[in-house]
Amino acid sequence: DSTVHTPVHTAEETAAVAKAVGRNIKTSPQKLNLVAQMVRGLSVEEAIAQCTLSRKKVAKHVENVLKAVRANAANNHGLNADRLIVKEAFVGKGQFLKRLKYHAKGRHGSMTRPSAHLTVIAEEVPMEEGEKRLGRFGPRNATRAAMKERIADGAAAEGTVTEAKPAQ
């Protein structure tokens, strides 16, 4: 059965990051990577919802690792679990067990039983002004006025636009 390990953080990692590793997941790395790609960049809550609704068998293991990284962030690092985004989700090759596959007339072939490791790194995203919720790739639902103001500030800093149009 697969186990979830929570390694100790090194000094080079920042305080706003949490990590969890699922080891020896009994599937091929290629199949596990399909689900890891699906959750990359999502908020942790949204990624857990995607794994719950997924029909893939591996999604249950990914969901367990996501829950572990959420718990690590809240309990070990004091981060806000609602503000987490899956910064990285990568798959490593585990131990491939070699087994015999028996054929007719006393012959046999060899087959492998693959396993894989999943590492998920979640990052806390700071609250932005005018934001209502954390969306798929970061903060969403900022008010239109705040967005127009940001665009105008960026253009004015570049020197391309001297004055922004008034809001109607």
Side-chain angles (χ1 to χ4, degrees):
D1 198 23
S2 65
T3 57
V4 176
H5 297 280
T6 54
V8 179
H9 285 281
T10 59
E12 61 193 24
E13 290 179 334
T14 61
V17 172
K19 181 178 179 180
V21 180
R23 295 203 182 275
N24 298 321
I25 298 171
K26 300 286 185 234
T27 186
S28 70
Q30 187 175 4
K31 290 177 184 176
L32 184 59
N33 195 37
L34 289 173
V35 182
Q37 283 176 347
M38 181 178 72
V39 300
R40 233 173 261 146
L42 297 178
S43 66
V44 171
E45 294 301 323
E46 202 169 328
I48 290 171
Q50 288 290 328
C51 288
T52 305
L53 296 173
S54 177
R55 294 174 55 196
K56 295 193 176 292
K57 185 173 139 184
V58 182
K60 192 73 179 164
H61 296 288
V62 176
E63 182 182 350
N64 289 339
V65 176
L66 287 167
K67 287 179 180 176
V69 80
R70 181 178 61 185
N72 289 346
N75 299 330
N76 300 347
H77 304 290
L79 303 178
N80 185 356
D82 298 329
R83 306 286 313 156
L84 292 174
I85 281 188
V86 179
K87 182 181 177 184
E88 294 179 44
F90 55 90
V91 176
K93 181 178 161 184
Q95 186 178 18
F96 274 50
L97 301 175
K98 291 188 178 179
R99 296 291 181 254
L100 288 179
K101 190 169 186 178
Y102 299 104
H103 299 298
K105 298 183 179 180
R107 296 177 183 162
H108 63 83
S110 63
M111 65 179 205
T112 57
R113 296 260 171 99
S115 67
H117 307 313
L118 173 67
T119 304
V120 175
I121 299 173
E123 180 180 39
E124 186 179 25
V125 178
M127 189 82 161
E128 285 188 12
E129 189 176 330
E131 174 195 343
K132 295 179 184 171
R133 70 177 185 90
L134 190 63
R136 182 173 173 90
F137 293 104
R140 282 255 177 103
N141 293 348
T143 60
R144 284 186 174 215
M147 288 180 68
K148 284 182 181 178
E149 187 177 307
R150 261 190 252 144
I151 292 168
D153 289 344
E158 293 174 4
T160 55
V161 177
T162 55
E163 188 176 307
K165 291 183 180 179
Q168 293 178 355

